[in-house]
Amino acid sequence: MVAAGRGNILASRLIHRSHAEPGWFLYATACALVEADRARPGTAEHVAALPGITLLDLDLPAALAVARGTTWATAHTLYAAQPSPARPAGAVIATTAPHAWKQHPVRTLDLSP
């Protein structure tokens, strides 16, 4: 989210596709949204206003996963990327720091410039 706010073209394209193309879905966890806004104030309002992004609340199962994690944003994002009834194949984590996810059983999309 911060990368998009800083003009990362790959992040911007991903956001555009989620809005313009059927079958493309982009999710933002509430905890990652808070962390992004702390790193770059104004990010939360901007991301929340984008029609192609679905915000994922911190519900009870997510909160329990966050309680076991090291950071709220990482734990909530990791939880959201796991297979679920809504996303049977799980989700891909779009990131500018793919190395940070190597130890986790998730798929990543490298948005590094």
Side-chain angles (χ1 to χ4, degrees), residues 39-57:
R40 185 174 168 86
T43 299
E45 289 85 1
H46 180 73
V47 169
L50 294 170
I53 298 179
T54 301
L55 297 176
L56 299 178
D57 295 332

Side-chain angles (χ1 to χ4, degrees), residues 38-79:
R38 287 180 177 165
R40 185 174 168 86
T43 299
E45 289 85 1
H46 180 73
V47 169
L50 294 170
I53 298 179
T54 301
L55 297 176
L56 299 178
D57 295 332
L58 185 62
D59 58 10
L60 179 58
L64 295 174
V66 166
R68 293 186 297 271
T70 54
T71 71
W72 286 44
T74 300
H76 195 186
T77 301
L78 182 60
Y79 171 80

Side-chain angles (χ1 to χ4, degrees), residues 4 8-22 24-26 50-53:
N8 180 299
I9 191 70
L10 296 175
S12 295
R13 286 180 183 168
L14 187 62
I15 292 168
H16 173 74
R17 287 189 102 162
S18 71
H19 176 66
E21 294 187 31
W24 278 79
F25 303 99
L26 197 57
L50 294 170
I53 298 179

Side-chain angles (χ1 to χ4, degrees), residues 58-112:
L58 185 62
D59 58 10
L60 179 58
L64 295 174
V66 166
R68 293 186 297 271
T70 54
T71 71
W72 286 44
T74 300
H76 195 186
T77 301
L78 182 60
Y79 171 80
Q82 300 306 308
S84 68
R87 293 173 298 284
V92 176
I93 298 174
T95 179
T96 56
H99 59 278
W101 298 96
K102 291 289 185 198
Q103 71 272 20
H104 301 289
V106 294
R107 297 172 292 152
T108 59
L109 176 63
D110 187 354
L111 300 179
S112 301

